[in-house]
Amino acid sequence: MPAAPMNDAVHLRSDGVSLVLDTTGPRLPRIAYWGADLGELDPSDVRAVVEAGRPPTVLNLMDEEVPVGVLPEAAVGWVGTPGLSGHRGGRGFSPLFDLVAVDVPDGDDATAGALRILGRDSALEVDLELRIALLPGSGLVRLSATLTNTGTSEYVLERLQLSLPIPAEAAELLDLTGRWTRERAPQRHAFTLGTHLREGRRGRTGTDATLLLVAGESGFGFRSGEAWAVHTAWSGNHVHAAERLPTGVSLLSGGELLLPGEGVLAPGESYTTPDVYGSHGHGLDAISARFHRHLRARPGHPRTRRPVVVNTWEAVYFQHDVDKLTRLADAAARVGAERFVLDDGWFRGRRHDAVGLGDWDVDPDVWPDGLHPLVDHVRGLGLEFGLWVEPEMISPGSALALAHPDWVMSTGDRLPPLSRGQQVLDLANPAAFEHIAGRLDALVTEYRVDYLKWDHNRDLVDGGHPTTGRAGVHDQTLAVYRLLDGLRRRHPGLEIESCSSGGGRVDLGVLERTDRVWASDCLDPLERQQIQRWTGLLVPPELVGAHVGGARAHTTGRVQDLPFRAITALFGHLGIEWDLDAALDADPAAVEELTRWVALHKRHRDLLHSGVVVRSDHPDPATWVHGVVSPDGAEALYAVVAMATSIVSPPGRLRLPGLRPDRRYRVEAVWPDGVPEPRRILPSWWAAGIELTGAVLATAGVQVPQQKPEQACLLHVTEVTAGTARTTEITGVTDDPRRAREHP
């Protein structure tokens, strides 16, 4: 890795993005530009980009330029939030790094576009290594840093937060918040002077975590407006911030939120930040697509078709009965499921949610022969077998807690308040870690478990090490990563879902070692439309668990028809969480209809789980349009969703984004096997389909059915090539095509 010439600048380019780094020294490099691709630039042009961005010196500010680097420093005159905060016994509170080296890789290998920057504060006796990469294939910026204590006394690190500059055009902020069963609610406001700070202090990512903090042009949407976003790839306490000073400097930043004492570095010790990612694009879809491409390029990304899941939770809850679960497995196979997941309630004493956690042995009272009868039956049906676990938690009355009360996370002099009747197991304790790792390994080995639904149902309040009384969230997060990594090494075919009170642990840190996230415990499709839409800003559809529940949603009480439930779940990793055994007796026609929806999902699964996610910026909040377009632009599947009663009727033309503008496409309604779907007033083109160019579909759009609230329909779009046959099977269409009551 050769050194970049000092007193120069570096231009990185990838996938429509440019990043210009000013390495002229003597201070840490700063990002002089991050945004749309600037094209090929010779070295003099790159230096000119840096020079063109230098601000003039104005009265009552520093007499020299204030270089705001990836790590902003107060010592150079930066009066915003410093990137590094720490001290040695109260001294050395204001670091000032000299630039030692900038290493740039050569060649076109996978590391191309990555820089390693070394800085040193000789007076404070700390070294800093910054890593900046513009990732090939996605165009994401990835930042990380390592701080090393080179002195002879402790250095108390309080904050190490990395920043990316954004221009004045970024006039509006968008982030996400939420709660249990209402994750991923967007909120927007002007990007004013000052700091917009989002801290996560739950010890896990959190149902209210923003996932992305986005700054963009006023009114930016999914398909319009230039925007910039950051994400911190960390599953513990974290921070995101947007900061704008009266000087006009604006930053987006992210990092770990260290609790008091978590950053104490002994002589020779180092601290490494989580990765902070930056994404730029025109519209949120472009920002989102970069994260999706990055995740799909992971070596561990699932390469097989995502199996349709049946999960037992809402079917039986804690009332486990071998005969009942066997019949449920039969019903799962009947509707076309490919994986059967036994949820909470299988282990010793677990008849409700306040007992049993930590005692990871099969309950002999419910399962006298162990899980083998059920597992063997499931495998005999051709289904994979999955199991629910919550290994980071412990119930106070469990045998494990009674034997090892010192394994419960606490401040040392008191226990944290209970949540769901449970506490947190201190996995940074080597004995506790080895015990849980051994139990999980034994379960996966004995039952040949294909899939673990890994839950995490409470925040880490007072999350400390009981033997020392020191804060322990940082150590706990790293221990969980080691636990996941070790289990996957021992069982290479094992898949793991990140579930955490629903969508409480969704981030790129946990996704480096899991295969799916559970977006929410809410299966109400109306709520799920929003939850999945905004979870999809970061996570592609094949990694988002989306289940069809029963007609009445258990968390909201709403009653919705099966097509709305199925279409909502179609655009994810499809699953079913419904008592199909009881449904076969009460409403066998609904189960047969579900079978057809599962078959429809399988027909389009390759597209849904590999294509580009697109969302339309329709002005009416009552009507949403979203879809997936194949990477080659030859095929797409869109959902048109009536979220509420609209002020207009019919909804008017709807644009179908993401298609190649110069290609010709055929648009057809799609429904399982031509089954009648009532209660729609249809446009004239609906029965026979229509052909239009991608430019027309994205700009002028098409009329769609008039739908009642909480209804949805599907449009299948395919490229028209020479010799394409135009055959359409129409079932049950009335004489008046405007009032046809069935889909072709």
Side-chain angles (χ1 to χ4, degrees), residues 243-556:
E243 190 163 22
R244 172 162 282 162
L245 267 59
T247 58
V249 177
S250 304
L251 301 175
L252 294 176
S253 59
E256 181 182 6
L257 191 158
L258 293 168
L259 294 178
E262 287 188 323
V264 176
L265 301 179
E269 283 190 336
S270 298
Y271 166 80
T272 297
T273 68
D275 289 335
V276 175
Y277 289 86
S279 184
H280 167 269
H282 285 269
L284 291 169
D285 280 356
I287 283 175
S288 178
R290 298 191 187 281
F291 285 106
H292 292 185
R293 290 200 299 272
H294 171 72
L295 284 164
R296 286 168 170 168
R298 300 173 300 158
H301 190 78
R303 302 300 174 193
T304 59
R305 289 175 173 168
R306 300 294 76 219
V308 176
V309 175
V310 162
N311 184 279
T312 66
W313 178 240
E314 288 197 359
V316 300
Y317 289 101
F318 294 108
Q319 306 308 309
H320 283 204
D321 174 83
V322 179
D323 292 337
K324 170 70 174 181
L325 290 165
T326 299
R327 294 195 302 273
L328 191 59
D330 291 338
R334 176 172 177 169
V335 300
E338 297 151 313
R339 175 181 287 164
F340 185 86
V341 178
L342 182 65
D343 211 288
D344 194 359
W346 57 268
F347 49 99
R348 191 179 298 272
R350 187 68 164 178
R351 304 281 67 78
H352 55 83
D353 65 3
V355 296
L357 293 172
D359 297 342
W360 299 109
D361 302 300
V362 177
D363 192 326
D365 294 335
V366 180
W367 304 91
D369 299 313
L371 300 179
H372 291 291
L374 177 64
V375 174
D376 292 345
H377 186 77
V378 166
R379 294 196 187 283
L381 294 168
L383 277 64
E384 297 179 1
F385 178 73
L387 194 64
W388 180 96
V389 292
E390 194 174 0
E392 298 157 72
M393 300 296 151
I394 187 167
S395 298
S398 65
L400 186 67
L402 294 175
H404 298 284
D406 56 322
W407 289 5
V408 179
M409 292 193 82
S410 72
T411 59
D413 58 354
R414 65 176 184 268
L415 284 174
L418 289 172
S419 176
R420 287 174 55 99
Q422 64 194 56
Q423 297 284 7
V424 183
L425 192 65
D426 184 9
L427 290 175
N429 181 318
F433 182 96
E434 291 303 324
H435 173 80
I436 292 299
R439 290 306 306 134
L440 292 174
D441 183 58
L443 283 166
V444 174
T445 300
E446 179 177 357
Y447 295 108
R448 296 178 293 127
V449 175
D450 300 292
Y451 174 86
L452 286 178
K453 179 181 177 180
W454 187 298
D455 216 337
H456 178 293
N457 274 314
R458 65 156 290 165
D459 296 333
L460 273 62
V461 176
D462 271 359
H465 302 304
T467 54
T468 64
R470 298 174 71 96
V473 170
H474 173 81
D475 294 341
Q476 180 80 354
T477 306
L478 292 177
V480 171
Y481 287 170
R482 291 196 303 273
L483 187 60
L484 288 163
D485 292 342
L487 193 61
R488 291 178 69 106
R489 278 195 303 272
R490 291 189 295 274
H491 303 278
L494 178 68
E495 292 192 5
I496 300 176
E497 173 184 76
S498 173
C499 176
S500 185
S501 305
R505 187 154 60 187
V506 179
D507 59 80
L508 293 189
V510 79
L511 277 168
E512 283 298 318
R513 38 196 53 90
T514 55
D515 306 280
R516 182 170 114 141
V517 298
W518 183 229
S520 178
D521 285 341
C522 180
L523 299 186
D524 180 328
L526 185 66
E527 301 292 340
R528 270 289 184 141
Q529 283 287 332
Q530 172 167 281
I531 291 166
Q532 291 173 197
R533 166 174 282 219
W534 294 103
T535 300
L537 275 186
L538 183 69
V539 187
E542 65 270 25
L543 300 183
V544 180
H547 290 187
V548 180
R552 182 178 293 276
H554 289 208
T555 56
T556 66

Side-chain angles (χ1 to χ4, degrees), residues 58-78:
V58 298
L59 292 176
N60 292 312
L61 294 178
M62 300 298 108
D63 290 342
E64 298 179 356
E65 178 192 0
V66 178
V68 183
V70 174
L71 189 78
E73 297 172 287
V76 300
W78 170 250

Side-chain angles (χ1 to χ4, degrees), residues 552-598:
R552 182 178 293 276
H554 289 208
T555 56
T556 66
R558 289 194 187 104
V559 176
Q560 290 120 337
D561 62 18
L562 180 54
F564 187 47
R565 286 143 52 208
I567 289 174
T568 300
L570 198 75
F571 288 83
H573 182 179
L574 180 67
I576 301 157
E577 201 155 332
W578 180 7
D579 188 348
L580 297 178
D581 173 50
L584 279 169
D585 291 333
D587 191 358
V591 177
E592 290 306 310
E593 184 183 354
L594 175 64
T595 304
R596 295 190 290 271
W597 281 108
V598 170

